[in-house]
Amino acid sequence: MLYDILIAPFADFAFMRRALVGSIALALAGSPLGVFLILRRMSLTGDAMSHAILPGAAIGYLVAGLSLWPMTIAGLAAGLIVAVGSGVVARATILREDASLAAFYLISLALGVTLISLRGSNIDLLHVLFGSVLALDDATLILLAGIASLTLAGLALLYRALVIETVDPGFLASTGRAGGPTQMAFLGLVVLNLVGGFQALGTLLAVGMMMLPAASARLIARDITSMLAIAAAFGIASSYIGLVVSFYASLPSGPFIILVAGGFYVGALVFGRAGGLLRNLKPKRHLEA
């Protein structure tokens, strides 16, 4: 009975297996990045960057249709241009980085939708915005696996600098010039994962896999290592549960995966040991943090 419910959909249907593997790859790589975004108070940066890749994906679509590599390469280029451009504007003008990033992503979102509308249908627009996790092919899985491997290797190399800059950015700045390159490399990994997530979940939902498990982990754990592990676990669990339930309930898989991640977040918001509502309502002992 349990086999028929929990295992059979993946054993019997190749598209379900591809969807699960692709979603797990996104969870393993994107959720840890989300933890650092939250700790560095850059949560909205992920959302802004997910919109920023849209005009690049639209240009790739205009050139080659719904083809994997043209949309991926063009989306990556657009995301990097917005990331670097907003940083340059923030340093060269009186605008802060959040304001310049907001301006760039709003322009990018409007431009991307306009470009897709020039040639495509509403179905094409929905595909780009919300993805189709059940339609992943082998080439897309290879891309997602490559992005996940590169991201995990990059995080391993940047981990020490990222942690130091997150906890005490002034210290890293005083000991060398690693802060700037670390920030740009980190943003590059964020853009890369959003481009990969766009292939499965679309530009509007890709950031959900990155941020919701990370926000849940932040409410449960206090040290960064535990947050990274919990975020990845929540992302994987959301992928599996979302695919199984959506399969039997005939619901859209991508949005339901994000809804399950949202359910984990609500649970952590209420019961989280590190900052949930129940913990904050509980009377604290004298000198207890």
Side-chain angles (χ1 to χ4, degrees):
M1 181 67 177
L2 288 178
Y3 175 87
D4 292 336
I5 296 174
L6 302 178
I7 306 298
F10 304 100
D12 296 341
F13 300 101
F15 68 88
M16 289 291 289
R17 292 194 296 271
R18 292 192 182 96
L20 181 61
V21 172
S23 299
I24 289 175
L26 290 175
L28 285 174
S31 299
L33 290 174
V35 169
F36 282 107
L37 285 172
I38 287 175
L39 293 176
R40 294 158 72 90
R41 298 183 180 181
M42 298 171 61
S43 301
L44 292 178
T45 299
D47 184 52
M49 296 309 303
S50 69
H51 298 316
I53 68 175
L54 186 56
I59 292 173
Y61 168 76
L62 289 176
V63 173
L66 294 173
S67 180
L68 174 65
W69 289 107
M71 294 182 70
T72 298
I73 295 172
L76 180 61
L80 292 175
I81 288 172
V82 170
V84 174
S86 61
V88 171
V89 169
R91 287 166 175 78
T93 69
I94 62 172
L95 287 178
R96 296 182 62 177
E97 190 165 4
D98 59 341
S100 62
L101 188 60
F104 270 89
Y105 102 76
L106 288 171
I107 295 170
S108 298
L109 179 61
L111 178 61
V113 172
T114 302
L115 288 174
I116 294 175
S117 300
L118 289 177
R119 174 177 168 181
S121 64
N122 289 335
I123 295 177
D124 295 327
L125 182 59
L126 289 174
H127 176 83
V128 172
L129 292 177
F130 298 104
S132 182
V133 70
L134 296 181
L136 300 180
D137 55 17
D138 291 340
T140 305
L141 286 183
I142 292 173
L143 173 65
L144 293 176
I147 289 175
S149 301
L150 180 61
T151 300
L152 293 176
L155 282 176
L157 292 174
L158 296 172
Y159 184 77
R160 180 180 175 84
L162 277 174
V163 171
I164 293 174
E165 190 178 35
T166 299
V167 176
D168 188 359
F171 174 78
L172 188 64
S174 65
T175 57
R177 298 181 178 179
T182 298
Q183 173 80 348
M184 294 310 300
F186 173 69
L187 287 178
L189 291 177
V190 171
V191 172
L192 189 63
N193 276 267
L194 289 172
V195 170
F198 141 77
Q199 299 292 344
L201 299 173
T203 59
L204 295 184
L205 296 179
V207 70
M209 181 61 80
M210 185 176 290
M211 300 308 304
L212 285 172
S216 303
R218 178 67 181 88
L219 291 165
I220 293 173
R222 292 188 180 276
D223 64 281
I224 295 178
T225 303
S226 298
M227 289 181 206
L228 297 177
I230 292 172
F234 275 151
I236 293 172
S238 300
S239 301
Y240 177 79
I241 296 171
L243 285 171
V244 170
V245 176
S246 64
F247 176 80
Y248 289 109
S250 299
L251 295 170
S253 298
F256 200 79
I257 288 173
I258 304 305
L259 281 177
V260 174
F264 281 122
Y265 169 73
V266 172
L269 191 65
V270 176
F271 301 105
R273 295 182 302 168
L277 294 175
L278 292 183
R279 177 177 175 81
N280 290 335
L281 291 175
K282 180 181 178 182
K284 294 182 174 61
R285 296 178 181 178
H286 182 59
L287 299 180
E288 181 182 5

